[in-house]
Amino acid sequence: MNLSARQICQNLNLQLVGNAAVADLLLSGIEFDTRLIRNGSSTCFITFQGSRSGFEFLSNAYEVGVRVFWCQQQVDPSQFPDACFILSENTLSDYQLLASLHVKQFSMPLVGIAGSNGKTIVKEWLAQLLQGFFAIVKSPKSFNSQIGVPYSLLLAEPYHTLGIFEAGVSKSGEMDKLARIFVPDIGIFTNIGTAHDEGFLDKEQKLAEKLSLFSTSRFLVYHIDNQMIHQYIQQHFVVPELIGWTWKNKEGSHAIWSDGSVEIPVELPFSDLASLENLGQCLGCLKVLDMLSDDVLKRVALLENIPLRLSSRRGMYNTQIIDDSYSNDIAGLKIALDFQEQNKALPEQPKSIVLSEMIQSGLTDEACYKQVFALLDQYNIDRRFVIGRRLLSFVEKFQPKNTRAFHSVEALLEQVSLATLSHESILIKGNRLSELEAISRKWQAESHGSMLEVNLDALRTNLQYIRSLLPFDTRIMAMVKAFAYGSGAEAVARMLDLNRIDYLGVAYIDEGVHLRQCGIKTPIMVMNPSEEGFEDLVFYNLEPAVFSFQLLKKLTAFLKVKSIQGFKVHIEIDTGMNRLGFCKSDWNSLIAWFSDEPILKPVSVFSHLAASEKPDHDAFTLEQIDGYFQFVGLLNAILHEPIAFSHIQNSEGILRFPQTQANMVRLGIALYGISDQERQQIHLQLAARWISRVAQVREISAGDSVSYGRTFVAEKPMNIATVDLGYADGFHRSLSNGIGQLKVKGEWRPILGRICMDMCMIDVSGLQVQEGDEVVIFDDADSLKRLATQQNTIPYEVLTSIGQRVKRVYLSGV
């Protein structure tokens, strides 16, 4: 960025207070999350109104070396004697204005992409198609929000010759703010869908506001076959040049792209409608840039459906493999390094990287790779393996520490034994042409075809949505028991820890011990402690729930022997669940117990709602809540200081009874994206996607039977596919004989015969299915709920029954 705090104030007419000497130091960047700060002395830390990671974390940023702060709250500079403060009335607006002034310095054309779906794919495909013809700056991953757009614009440098930026909005009025700071020369409008419908009066208002980004653009690219978009643009939009395109004469893998003035024959790399629409948008932009040359069009056939998220999975020799092998630039490298740092299995875990060349960065190789290796130094990467001729030359010339260079992927795999990287976190970061995914495939631990993809971004989004329903000071305990509802407790807990969850809840002491051994520092409540685990409670700083006098007596006696006082516990009372907890008849004795008890310190009182999701039992639920608060009042009346937290609301209670929330809630299934309430389900994203693959395809004749017991006999010739999925994976045997279905090539197809321990068979007649094709067990809330219904159970059981041998892969776009 190369601006000082004083220059920022001069450019934006803002006030500067604090240490004047620091105000003239050049800054390399602006960060809004203390966890992402690697070079505090040259970083400005900015806070935003209402951000939990904002004003209250100034001290954290100061401790990691930050000396320039940008706030809209008044501060006492004497608390930070070596720091200076930029003061704004609205930090977000001023941050956006700074980004606007920054990008306006450069004369390069700007491409803006808006719409409901496909923005990131279109951006990445454009970058691949134009690689080598332009030095491109683009939004990292899916940074397209009110904060993400200015963050992306500030990445622009004088050597860039093309900017490609996404812009996304979730409610009315947001696009107007982005349009004031970002004026694209070329607009691409992808489509209009149902996402964020609740933030607008109707679909037409949403369409109008999303399109408003392009009100002063010179070109607008859109799919003319979408009648709603086409009619609105024709009637209401004034843009000098409209590029309304369509596909013509589609036959097999060939079609003609046309905008009415030119027709371009294209060899199609995809057949699904979404990919064809995204490809058409790219071709429209290529036409505007006058880049429909043979050299560029040859690249179209090489495009692939790229993974848009970093993925983390277990590797052999207890390694962690983080795969980000589809694009490579400096901004993306920093994001991947952040992800690696935040998702290490242990705080002290060694880190390695496999890195490919950066093609056409706009810098000389020397300047580019000096920046790259400076980043690797900032993130304390222990071992660096680099691939490619340019990197090889750089390493030979400058000999950066702990670095080995290779001509090819094959050479690296031949010369590097994964056993020598045992227990390390390994980031694989490269461009698509380098084919680094071959390394990830060879080094991953499991080869079983069934896989549970856990979307950490969806978990984060669900958490943010629940937080938006709560008062700002209401705390959240997130439940990660039962392997985090099948998603993997370690990875989910680490994501929650990074997002500053207040408490974690587990069922058993062993679950809490595992999280502590993985470096999780967040307070942990254990709901079902046992006497044999008391030592671990103390050693690992776990906080037990107490639900009976017998447990109270045993725990108190143990702590007395250890000479421990003030040990934190959580009191569970029974208000109608009749499972665990002190009954109403116990309450007077319980209160007397804690009236003068120095050994135990009650941190919270909690209870369980029995039917919070059932409207016909609301009267009973409200009785539970009333009884609960009655006990809390009685207990607080006798304590020297009131208990810190009280919590009775579970996921459905949070969503259905917001008026009865205490100062903490317990977040369970809603965190993972499931609600029984239709009006709430639309706000949640299922965080898990269970998939497998086709192992074999074969033809069978009339009269042939399928699977054990010959319970299915074909009445006619048909094609069947054997899928790597059985009841040992958690795919219940009750789904046999057509009760369950699996999705392949976009169609749900029935199970044929009985499900085996490791395999099952489905009907794929009429589909072009091949070995290795993806098969979906569930991929959204509806398909998970349907699967649960077919098993005569609930989504909880489906998720927690997914077998341990099903590999968990963790995805994140941030």
Side-chain angles (χ1 to χ4, degrees), residues 111-374:
V111 179
I113 309 172
S116 295
N117 300 297
K119 296 185 292 294
T120 304
I121 283 281
V122 171
K123 176 198 68 187
E124 295 297 337
W125 280 355
L126 279 174
Q128 288 187 27
L129 292 169
L130 295 171
Q131 186 173 274
F133 297 99
F134 295 90
I136 299 172
V137 58
K138 57 186 174 72
S139 307
K141 301 297 180 181
S142 53
F143 277 34
N144 57 35
S145 66
Q146 298 291 301
I147 296 174
V149 171
Y151 183 97
S152 302
L153 297 177
L154 285 167
L155 297 174
E157 297 280 2
Y159 56 81
H160 288 127
T161 57
L162 178 67
I164 310 175
F165 302 104
E166 302 177 44
V169 295
S170 58
K171 59 185 178 182
S172 179
E174 288 185 334
M175 192 62 89
D176 286 343
K177 296 174 183 177
L178 296 182
R180 286 195 289 269
I181 67 167
F182 172 41
V183 183
D185 303 287
I186 304 166
I188 300 175
F189 193 79
T190 59
N191 51 49
I192 191 77
T194 58
H196 306 302
D197 275 355
E198 68 279 0
F200 301 88
L201 294 175
D202 52 38
K203 187 163 285 189
E204 184 166 323
Q205 186 203 25
K206 182 168 71 170
L207 175 60
E209 295 207 21
K210 286 177 179 282
L211 277 167
S212 66
L213 179 67
F214 310 124
S215 59
T216 58
S217 298
R218 182 180 172 190
F219 301 93
L220 177 59
V221 178
Y222 70 99
H223 191 189
I224 202 171
D225 293 347
N226 189 311
Q227 288 301 308
M228 181 181 182
I229 296 173
H230 179 55
Q231 289 175 8
Y232 185 88
I233 289 174
Q234 293 294 317
Q235 294 172 11
H236 302 287
F237 226 68
V238 180
V239 170
E241 297 190 47
L242 295 174
I243 312 295
W245 61 269
T246 187
W247 289 109
K248 298 173 61 176
N249 301 338
K250 184 179 180 303
E251 188 173 329
S253 62
H254 293 82
I256 293 175
W257 181 92
S258 173
D259 71 340
S261 62
V262 298
E263 294 189 346
I264 308 294
V266 180
E267 182 179 348
L268 301 175
F270 312 102
S271 58
D272 63 289
L273 295 178
S275 296
L276 291 177
E277 184 169 59
N278 294 332
L279 176 57
Q281 307 288 10
C282 292
L283 294 172
C285 184
L286 293 180
K287 182 197 173 182
V288 173
L289 292 169
D290 196 23
M291 293 299 297
L292 287 172
S293 65
D294 290 341
D295 288 340
V296 175
L297 290 175
K298 285 177 183 176
R299 298 184 179 187
V300 168
L302 302 177
L303 290 175
E304 297 182 39
N305 268 318
I306 54 178
L308 295 180
R309 294 180 175 91
L310 293 136
S311 69
S312 173
R313 66 191 74 195
R314 281 198 313 121
M316 294 185 294
Y317 301 102
N318 293 307
T319 57
Q320 175 195 30
I321 306 297
I322 299 173
D323 191 351
D324 190 16
S325 56
Y326 77 90
S327 70
N328 199 16
D329 55 35
I330 292 174
L333 174 60
K334 183 181 185 302
I335 289 172
L337 290 167
D338 282 328
F339 181 84
Q340 182 183 34
E341 176 64 27
Q342 294 174 11
N343 289 276
K344 291 186 300 183
L346 292 169
E348 66 277 8
Q349 183 180 25
K351 295 179 294 184
S352 297
I353 189 171
V354 177
L355 183 70
S356 79
E357 293 179 332
M358 293 188 177
I359 300 174
Q360 294 296 327
S361 68
L363 297 169
T364 65
D365 286 347
E366 183 175 328
C368 174
Y369 293 128
K370 279 187 175 179
Q371 285 191 40
V372 166
F373 280 91

Side-chain angles (χ1 to χ4, degrees), residues 750-765:
I751 304 292
L752 301 180
R754 289 178 180 167
I755 295 170
C756 309
M757 182 182 289
D758 309 304
M759 302 278 179
C760 64
M761 282 63 76
I762 59 174
D763 177 11
V764 294
S765 301

Side-chain angles (χ1 to χ4, degrees), residues 368-399:
C368 174
Y369 293 128
K370 279 187 175 179
Q371 285 191 40
V372 166
F373 280 91
L375 260 182
L376 301 185
D377 289 340
Q378 285 181 26
Y379 283 83
N380 300 312
I381 302 300
D382 299 286
R383 292 196 258 193
R384 301 96 182 266
F385 304 96
V386 298
I387 300 174
R389 179 180 55 80
R390 293 185 178 89
L391 272 165
L392 188 61
S393 299
F394 180 85
V395 170
E396 289 174 348
K397 182 176 181 180
F398 294 99
Q399 299 184 344

Side-chain angles (χ1 to χ4, degrees), residues 232 309 339 412 577 580 660 671 719 809:
Y232 185 88
R309 294 180 175 91
F339 181 84
L412 182 145
M577 182 78 163
L580 290 176
T660 62
L671 173 65
N719 291 340
V809 177

